[in-house]
Amino acid sequence: MPSKDGRRFDRHNPADPQELVARFALGGAADVAAAVAAAKQAFPAWRDLPMPARGVIIAAAGRIMARRAEELAQALTWEEGKALAESRQEVGRAIGYLEFIAGEGRRLNSDVMPADAPGLNYTRRKPLGVVGLITPWNFPVNIPTLKSAPALLAGNTVVLKPSELSPLTAAILAEIYTEAGVPAGVFNLVQGAEEAGKALVAHPDVKAITFTGSTEVGRHINQQAAARFAKCQLEMGGKNPSIILEDADLDRAAADVALGGFSVSGQRCNANSLVFVARSVFDAFAAKLIDKAKAIKVGHGLDETVHMGPLVEPSARERVQGYLDRARADGAQVLFSAEVPAGEGYFLGPTVVTGLPASHAICCEELFGPVIALVPVDGMEEAIGHANQLPYGLASSVYTRDVAKAMRYSETMESGLLHINCPTTVSELQMPYGGLKESGHGGREMGRYGLEFFTELQAVYLRY
Ligand code: NAD
């Protein structure tokens, strides 16, 4: 459908920027207003459909996504760049969550409590109305699914504004919901960029905004939403430290850190780009990590032999290069830096640096690239001390065989996701997902917890 003012935008393949992937209508405030009006009109009938019946439709969406999984994975790699195996894994997770949340349609229950007079007290969960979803490009299938499926199941109608860097996968998701039987006006898609996102946040009929993206944009959205008392859920940036203690299984730790730091080209909110290593095992761990980095093949994500695709756009690569240039100028040692394929793709290979204090920008700021900084420490308390200074608090990990240390880590580390002997990138569909401090605000996603944001709790007093 064309936008109200006829504007369009193009998305090119980041592995081969001459190749046009998609051309879509560029939505603005008028398009957002039309989508919100459609969602508002569709709300009463969708709300009144019993929740199990909404669950049946979500389950159908899961089956259709499973049928279209390979098409969706290829589209994802084509427009965003990640390796095909990573895209398949992402699509698999989205299917899993559709299946999970569909079942909640028969489980979401309320509390029944004693009453002070003859009768019954109970709680009920009610949908909010029209909900705005604003999503990033780095998991363009999974994140819109993680938000839209619980929002719809709970009885809300939605307007999705995906990233302008990943429009194709969002368009396929919209087709899947339509084929599954989601009625017209219940799921609405507005393709566009900042302008459309701002219009969605500002619209008075949008009762809640759920956003995943950078902390900078999240902060802005939070302020705008708060001014009109709209509910707001923010999943934002991260700088996720791993701690390798002297009794760690170093092979396992090196494999996990390589996965956590280099998968999806380091472009993930839970990437472990900062690793504190006990001094006594520093050299041994670094050697094992470099071996893992050397085994990674960088290239066009649609090539089945490739492990790591390009960064998403030229400015992303320039940004990460800027951090590396500054680190070198400040005396960093580059322990490993991979060769990248020739051509115009926005490639940057796995890189391992050390020799800088924990206070350096490369150790404190979100890079969103395949760079891991190693910092030697004298023990876990020192590492946690540094880690808790970070403004972020999304994920972290510790590698140790000492149960007391593992327990102490889980008690004192300030992160929403805690990993003991597994990568910072581990997150399972049935578990809550979200960060502390500048990484997250306003409630968890995933599992049954993912439904809470999309409902209001009412108290019912029944007397007889
Ligand atoms: P971004 O903040 O630039 O954009 C995210 C979305 O917001 C896009 O759809 C964009 O068009 C829209 N937008 C931009 N400005 C806006 C505004 N003023 N008002 C409303 N909408 C606006 O983020 P990105 O580059 O797409 O994604 C990368 C970031 O996302 C990283 O910081 C990463 O850590 C974070 N992220 C977090 C999680 C998590 O679960 N915590 C998951 C994935 C990504």
Side-chain angles (χ1 to χ4, degrees):
M1 201 164 75
S3 59
K4 300 279 182 211
D5 59 12
R7 286 181 297 164
R8 297 191 300 185
F9 70 105
D10 292 343
R11 176 63 185 149
H12 291 88
N13 177 355
D16 182 2
Q18 300 299 329
E19 191 181 19
L20 180 67
V21 171
R23 175 167 292 163
F24 279 97
L26 180 69
D31 303 283
V32 167
V36 172
K40 190 177 177 186
Q41 198 183 356
F43 175 65
W46 182 246
R47 174 199 60 201
D48 291 345
L49 194 67
M51 194 180 286
R54 293 197 296 262
V56 167
I57 294 175
I58 303 288
R63 288 193 298 276
I64 295 162
M65 190 181 282
R67 195 189 76 219
R68 297 185 66 175
E70 184 59 21
E71 173 201 355
L72 201 46
Q74 301 245 356
L76 202 172
T77 292
W78 198 25
E79 72 177 356
E80 194 263 1
K82 68 179 64 165
L84 197 49
E86 295 176 327
S87 294
R88 289 181 180 134
Q89 201 179 16
E90 177 176 341
V91 174
R93 278 176 68 83
I95 295 165
Y97 197 61
L98 287 165
E99 288 168 352
F100 177 94
I101 214 73
E104 288 300 299
R106 294 192 183 277
R107 278 190 293 268
L108 184 69
N109 54 15
S110 55
D111 297 317
V112 179
M113 292 177 214
D116 290 351
L120 181 69
N121 292 346
Y122 65 96
T123 62
R124 63 186 299 277
R125 291 208 163 263
K126 175 187 162 192
L128 307 173
V130 179
V131 176
L133 281 45
I134 301 177
T135 54
W137 48 266
N138 68 331
F139 288 96
V141 175
N142 198 34
I143 293 174
T145 305
L146 283 181
K147 292 183 187 296
S148 58
L152 294 173
L153 183 86
N156 303 282
T157 53
V158 309
V159 177
L160 168 65
K161 204 302 284 172
S163 170
E164 59 278 25
L165 301 178
S166 55
L168 185 55
T169 42
I172 297 174
L173 179 64
E175 286 175 13
I176 288 172
Y177 278 133
T178 302
E179 190 185 338
V182 172
V186 170
F187 177 92
N188 304 275
L189 174 64
V190 179
Q191 302 277 14
E194 183 179 339
E195 182 188 330
K198 280 184 169 164
L200 192 56
V201 175
H203 200 295
D205 289 335
V206 175
K207 303 294 178 202
I209 292 287
T210 173
F211 164 84
T212 299
S214 60
T215 298
E216 184 192 354
V217 173
R219 195 186 308 278
H220 180 74
I221 288 177
N222 195 35
Q223 286 161 355
Q224 301 297 306
R228 60 178 189 84
F229 300 109
K231 249 183 132 175
C232 196
Q233 179 186 44
L234 309 166
E235 294 295 346
M236 302 174 283
K239 183 77 182 175
N240 311 287
S242 291
I243 305 172
I244 318 298
L245 298 182
E246 57 191 5
D247 66 340
D249 174 343
L250 293 186
D251 289 316
R252 177 182 197 159
D256 287 1
V257 166
L259 181 76
F262 299 140
S263 59
V264 194
S265 309
Q267 300 177 116
R268 51 192 311 161
C269 51
N270 52 14
N272 62 192
S273 56
L274 171 64
V275 184
F276 296 107
V277 190
R279 239 173 253 286
S280 58
V281 295
F282 187 90
D283 291 344
F285 174 80
K288 287 177 193 291
L289 179 63
I290 289 164
D291 281 349
K292 294 289 173 196
K294 281 181 182 160
I296 293 171
K297 181 175 174 189
V298 182
H300 196 305
L302 288 173
D303 174 345
E304 297 266 7
T305 66
V306 158
H307 308 112
M308 183 192 280
L311 297 193
V312 72
E313 56 179 346
S315 62
R317 186 173 58 178
E318 282 159 24
R319 199 169 161 272
V320 183
Q321 285 285 11
Y323 276 101
L324 286 170
D325 292 345
R326 186 170 156 195
R328 278 194 200 91
D330 292 340
Q333 276 170 268
V334 178
L335 299 179
F336 179 73
S337 176
E339 293 292 311
V340 295
E344 293 177 33
Y346 314 133
F347 296 106
L348 188 78
T351 305
V352 181
V353 303
T354 191
L356 293 170
S359 57
H360 192 274
I362 209 163
C363 300
C364 296
E365 295 173 19
E366 182 177 54
L367 267 62
F368 239 51
V371 177
I372 294 177
L374 302 182
V375 178
V377 287
D378 288 318
M380 190 175 76
E381 298 300 325
E382 183 189 346
I384 291 179
H386 289 313
N388 284 346
Q389 294 293 316
L390 295 167
Y392 298 112
L394 181 54
S396 62
S397 69
V398 71
Y399 288 80
T400 181
R401 293 181 171 99
D402 182 333
V403 176
K405 287 196 173 127
M407 291 305 295
R408 180 82 188 132
Y409 152 80
S410 63
E411 283 162 8
T412 56
M413 176 64 89
E414 293 169 5
S415 62
L417 311 179
L418 298 152
H419 300 86
I420 301 165
N421 298 321
C422 58
T424 56
T425 49
V426 167
S427 75
E428 298 186 358
L429 297 173
Q430 63 277 19
M431 291 284 279
Y433 188 93
L436 311 182
K437 302 196 278 188
E438 295 191 9
S439 290
H441 180 78
R444 295 289 178 258
E445 294 193 315
M446 298 198 353
R448 61 189 161 78
Y449 313 93
L451 276 161
E452 285 170 11
F453 175 76
F454 298 108
T455 61
E456 290 284 14
L457 194 61
Q458 291 179 304
V460 184
Y461 297 89
L462 188 156
R463 296 290 181 260
Y464 54 83

